[in-house]
Structures are given as C-alpha cells and as structure tokens.
Amino acid sequence: MRKLSRQPDHKYDIDETQINKSIKITSYLITVNNVLLFGLGLILFILGILYLTIYRYSYSFTIYSIDLLAGVFLSSGFILCALAISGIFFLKPLGRPVYSLLFAMLVFIIFLLIFILGVIGLSMNNNDEFMSQTRQNMMKTAKKFDESNPRGHDTRKINWLHRKFSCCGLNSYNDWKSLIAFQGINGPVKYFDKYDNKYPYIDDVPDSCCINPRTNCGKNINVFGRDRSLILNTKGCLILYYNSFSRDVTFLCALAI
C-alpha cells in the first residue's frame, strides 16, 4: 500500500509573510504618528508655559483670557505627550499596535477643545469684540483706582497695566487729575474720561505712570516746569494693550485651528 506524503502548502507561508509585513508597516506608521503627536504635545506644553510665565497677562480686560488658552495648551500638551509615550512604549510591546477606541477618542476630544477655543477667539477678535470689551472694562477699572489702597484689585490692575506696557491712562496721561479742595489740599488721583467738574485740578498721575516709578514721582510738584516725556510714560494704554492682546490671541488661536 502506497503511503501518501503531504506536500507543504506554500500558499499559507506567503499569506503569513504578507500579514507579518503588514503588521510591521502598521507598527511603523503608528510609531511615526506617536512621535508626531509627542512633538505637537511638546510644542503646546512649551507655549503654555511661556504664556503663563514670561508672556503672561496677569490681568485681563476681556472675558476671553489668554491664561485660559495657555492653560489648555499646557494641560493638553502634557496629555498628548503622555498618550504618545504610552503608544510607543506600552501598546506595541503588549501586542496592540492599533489604537484603542478610548485612546483615539481622547485625542479627538483634546483637539476639538483646542479647535473650539481657537475659533471663538478669532471670531471675537475679527468682530472687534475685544476692543469694545477692553475699552469698557478698562474704563470701569480706572474709575475704581484708589492710590491710597495699593493692594486693592483695581488699583493693582491699573498699576500692572502702566508698568507692563509703559503707558499712562486710557488715551494719555491727561486722563488722570487731582482736584484741589477748598483748603488748598490736593485730592487723590482720579480718572476722568471727560472733565466737567467746576473745581480746579492739578495734572497728577499715578506713580506707576513714571518711567522710573517711586513715591510721588507722578505728582505735579515733581513734574511742573519739566518735560513730562522724560519723566512719565505719556502714551495711552488702551491701544498698546489691545494691539498686544489681539496679536497674541491671533497667534495662539491660529495655531489652535
């Protein structure tokens, strides 16, 4: 009786080789994707740190805060870096070269959040909403300025504005005045968007308006008869703040989109 010998099936060997090749290609693409994801996360993380430290706006005159956007960049960048590292070093060794649904959804949610914030920021900026809010809120804050209470929120906010942008008042240093009382004593420095008071006044300004701030440096007794531009920051804060804020918002929002 003839014994039949079983011939090897080369078809299955070819299929297995193709499968292994496909797995290697998929694994390589996933690694490249994770590296790119890590790079993007690192960029967002660094930008978040920069805009929360060096380029930080300690106070905002709009409802849209750069600190909020920078915080989202910072946290999102950290999460993306963590996800990328887990995708490179943990998913593949466990024999899972394909993203899990949870992994993909988390990445999608992060990008969607950043995208939405970017769209809102650019929309408000293009509609001059920032300028309107800045002018209104800056004026309200200036009217609450109280030099006798340097720790007050509004006082600190105006002093920060003057020092940060080397400016004085909304439109110029002429926005600030001290009224002269009946006893000949100067009153506190106040903001006047339109002077219509019948009492005489002196062109005193907050000390934070000075190029080299020190006690009473902005009072008329130390400025009278001298070139104010050598002592005081004479430019208004509204345009300087808005231009800087709008430029940073445009940059960050465009990057987000």
Side-chain angles (χ1 to χ4, degrees), residues 171-229:
N171 301 305
S172 73
Y173 66 91
N174 290 319
D175 292 336
W176 300 102
K177 293 175 176 59
S178 290
L179 299 180
I180 301 178
F182 289 108
Q183 295 83 1
I185 301 175
N186 295 347
V189 176
K190 291 185 177 181
Y191 169 80
F192 291 89
D193 55 324
K194 183 179 179 181
Y195 182 73
D196 55 0
N197 199 299
K198 62 182 180 181
Y199 296 112
Y201 64 87
I202 292 180
D203 290 321
D204 287 351
V205 299
D207 293 336
S208 55
C209 287
C210 299
I211 297 176
N212 298 307
R214 63 183 185 280
T215 304
N216 293 328
C217 65
K219 303 306 175 283
N220 190 63
I221 190 173
N222 295 319
V223 182
F224 183 75
R226 303 170 65 184
D227 186 353
R228 287 179 176 266
S229 63

Side-chain angles (χ1 to χ4, degrees), residues 1-256:
M1 185 175 181
R2 181 181 295 180
K3 185 177 181 180
L4 298 177
S5 60
R6 185 178 181 181
Q7 298 294 330
D9 194 342
H10 297 288
K11 180 181 179 181
Y12 292 105
D13 293 340
I14 294 175
D15 291 343
E16 185 176 353
T17 302
Q18 291 178 346
I19 291 174
N20 291 334
K21 186 177 180 180
S22 299
I23 291 176
K24 288 181 179 180
I25 294 175
T26 304
S27 178
Y28 173 77
L29 293 176
I30 289 176
T31 300
V32 172
N33 185 71
N34 278 314
V35 171
L36 294 176
L37 190 65
F38 179 83
L40 178 59
L42 185 62
I43 292 174
L44 293 176
F45 185 80
I46 292 175
L47 284 174
I49 290 178
L50 288 176
Y51 276 91
L52 286 175
T53 54
I54 300 177
Y55 303 113
R56 184 185 182 190
Y57 287 74
S58 299
Y59 299 96
S60 177
F61 292 93
T62 65
I63 60 174
Y64 193 91
S65 172
I66 287 184
D67 280 2
L68 172 62
L69 190 57
V72 171
F73 273 33
L74 179 66
S75 56
S76 299
F78 177 81
I79 295 174
L80 289 177
C81 287
L83 289 175
I85 292 175
S86 66
I88 295 174
F89 296 103
F90 293 100
L91 293 182
K92 286 175 57 179
L94 293 176
R96 296 160 57 189
V98 182
Y99 286 117
S100 66
L101 180 60
L102 180 61
F103 187 92
M105 287 182 60
L106 188 56
V107 173
F108 174 77
I109 291 173
I110 292 174
F111 281 117
L112 181 62
L113 175 61
I114 296 176
F115 178 80
I116 291 175
L117 288 175
V119 170
I120 293 175
L122 286 180
S123 176
M124 294 179 67
N125 195 26
N126 293 334
N127 293 331
D128 293 330
E129 183 69 22
F130 285 150
M131 172 57 85
S132 177
Q133 290 182 12
T134 299
R135 183 188 300 275
Q136 183 179 3
N137 293 329
M138 193 176 289
M139 186 178 295
K140 288 181 180 180
T141 304
K143 289 182 177 181
K144 296 179 181 179
F145 176 83
D146 184 4
E147 201 168 28
S148 64
N149 182 23
R151 295 185 177 181
H153 175 74
D154 296 300
T155 303
R156 288 189 287 111
K157 196 171 182 178
I158 292 298
N159 286 335
W160 167 83
L161 180 68
H162 287 163
R163 297 190 182 104
K164 174 74 174 180
F165 297 95
S166 299
C167 57
C168 186
L170 268 70
N171 301 305
S172 73
Y173 66 91
N174 290 319
D175 292 336
W176 300 102
K177 293 175 176 59
S178 290
L179 299 180
I180 301 178
F182 289 108
Q183 295 83 1
I185 301 175
N186 295 347
V189 176
K190 291 185 177 181
Y191 169 80
F192 291 89
D193 55 324
K194 183 179 179 181
Y195 182 73
D196 55 0
N197 199 299
K198 62 182 180 181
Y199 296 112
Y201 64 87
I202 292 180
D203 290 321
D204 287 351
V205 299
D207 293 336
S208 55
C209 287
C210 299
I211 297 176
N212 298 307
R214 63 183 185 280
T215 304
N216 293 328
C217 65
K219 303 306 175 283
N220 190 63
I221 190 173
N222 295 319
V223 182
F224 183 75
R226 303 170 65 184
D227 186 353
R228 287 179 176 266
S229 63
L230 300 177
I231 304 171
L232 305 176
N233 295 309
T234 56
K235 294 183 178 180
C237 298
L238 177 61
I239 299 299
L240 292 176
Y241 172 87
Y242 172 75
N243 288 341
S244 177
F245 183 84
S246 178
R247 181 180 62 250
D248 288 339
V249 167
T250 301
F251 169 71
L252 292 175
C253 291
L255 183 62

